[in-house]
């Protein structure tokens, strides 16, 4: 009897340990972040703390053999949203992380100048944040050369100077919004300092510039 009680105690502790690891502390929530990738049935969002999680579409009904399946409306929404944008996401947990609603958070204008700090460089994008709001944004490289079959592709020369950039040094660049935020050109403070006064009307002050 004693042995059985010990065994059950150990089993209970193991179950509790596994449950605490696999089960999130929250059963539902809301977050903002960058849509970093997606598939037919899921999206992956990197939250503003830098953690990326994959969220499935909600499941409806019983098993697939009994007519159950992913929520079609959410699958359509997954198809619409464009990777690289900031998004607002509400979610819940039912054994899997599930997306309830997703909304694209577009910049307040379609072009401008951004000053902030470099967080990460990808193969076709950079992640940056301004030091005031500390909100991460992803800017894709400009596309040049037409369709890929005609030699088109991302212009990597735009960000080559950032390969050895110190994270503590701010960067300044022009950007526009075409389906997702895009960096168009790095700008130096010297360029702004030596521009004629009549060209400076649309250039913001050398403080943190928001989008």
């Amino acid at each position: 009897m004693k042995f059985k009680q010990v065994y059950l105690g150990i089993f209970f502790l193991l179950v509790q340990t596994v449950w605490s690891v696999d089960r999130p502390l929250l059963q539902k929530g809301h977050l903002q972040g960058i849509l970093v990738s997606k598939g037919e049935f899921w999206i992956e969002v990197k939250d503003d703390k830098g953690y990326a999680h994959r969220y499935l579409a909600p499941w409806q009904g019983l098993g697939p053999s009994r007519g159950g399946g992913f929520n079609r409306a959410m699958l359509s929404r997954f198809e619409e949203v464009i990777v690289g944008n900031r998004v607002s996401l509400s979610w819940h947990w039912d054994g899997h992380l599930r997306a309830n609603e997703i909304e694209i958070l577009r910049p307040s204008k379609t072009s401008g100048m951004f000053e902030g700090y470099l967080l990460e460089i990808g193969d076709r994008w950079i992640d940056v944040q301004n030091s005031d709001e500390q909100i991460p944004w992803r800017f894709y490289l400009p596309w040049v050369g037409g369709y890929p079959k005609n030699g088109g592709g991302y212009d990597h020369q735009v960000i080559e100077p950032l390969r050895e950039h110190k994270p503590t040094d701010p960067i300044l660049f022009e950007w526009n919004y075409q389906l997702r935020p895009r960096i168009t050109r790095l700008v130096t403070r010297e360029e702004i300092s030596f521009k004629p006064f009549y060209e400076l009307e649309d250039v913001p002050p050398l403080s943190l510039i928001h989008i």
Side-chain angles (χ1 to χ4, degrees):
M1 180 65 72
K2 233 181 214 186
F3 176 78
K4 186 176 181 181
Q5 289 177 339
V6 171
Y7 176 79
L8 289 174
I10 293 174
F11 178 77
F12 177 76
L13 289 175
L14 287 174
V15 170
Q16 288 294 96
T17 301
V18 172
W19 180 257
S20 63
V21 170
D22 293 342
R23 182 184 182 187
L25 294 177
L26 298 176
Q27 298 301 295
K28 61 181 179 179
H30 180 272
L31 61 85
Q32 293 184 357
I34 299 169
L35 179 63
V36 296
S37 63
K38 68 175 184 177
E40 184 179 358
F41 307 117
W42 55 268
I43 56 171
E44 187 171 348
V45 178
K46 182 179 179 181
D47 66 28
D48 289 346
K49 295 180 180 179
Y51 297 103
H53 296 285
R54 186 167 291 187
Y55 300 85
L56 293 169
W59 186 268
Q60 293 182 323
L62 301 174
S65 62
R66 302 179 65 182
F70 289 107
N71 181 287
R72 292 183 179 276
M74 186 56 68
L75 295 182
S76 297
R77 186 61 180 144
F78 285 177
E79 188 175 354
E80 294 171 355
V81 294
I82 297 174
V83 170
N85 279 286
R86 280 189 58 81
V87 296
S88 172
L89 173 72
S90 65
W91 60 272
H92 74 274
W93 166 267
D94 63 357
H96 298 281
L97 289 171
R98 306 277 187 184
N100 297 332
E101 293 182 8
I102 181 170
E103 178 186 356
I104 296 292
L105 300 176
R106 293 181 175 82
S108 58
K109 50 187 179 179
T110 57
S111 63
M113 196 173 295
F114 184 94
E115 182 174 4
Y117 293 90
L118 182 66
L119 298 175
E120 186 179 354
I121 299 179
D123 60 343
R124 61 189 67 179
W125 47 262
I126 61 172
D127 283 355
V128 295
Q129 72 175 19
N130 55 40
S131 60
D132 187 9
E133 298 174 329
Q134 297 185 348
I135 295 176
W137 287 84
R138 176 162 293 186
F139 290 86
Y140 270 67
L141 302 181
W143 185 273
V144 292
Y147 291 106
K149 65 180 181 181
N150 297 325
Y154 290 101
D155 186 2
H156 290 89
Q157 293 184 354
V158 171
I159 60 168
E160 279 306 314
L162 298 179
R163 297 295 180 186
E164 299 180 1
H165 187 83
K166 296 180 180 179
T168 53
D169 293 339
I171 60 173
L172 185 66
F173 58 84
E174 294 177 351
W175 64 274
N176 62 37
Y177 185 86
Q178 298 176 357
L179 300 179
R180 56 171 71 94
R182 298 178 186 271
I183 178 174
T184 57
R185 185 174 78 92
L186 291 175
V187 178
T188 65
R189 294 185 182 278
E190 288 74 18
E191 286 183 74
I192 294 179
S193 299
F194 289 101
K195 275 189 176 181
F197 71 91
Y198 51 81
E199 293 185 9
L200 290 175
E201 292 179 355
D202 296 327
V203 178
L206 294 181
S207 57
L208 290 180
I209 302 163
H210 311 290
I211 63 175

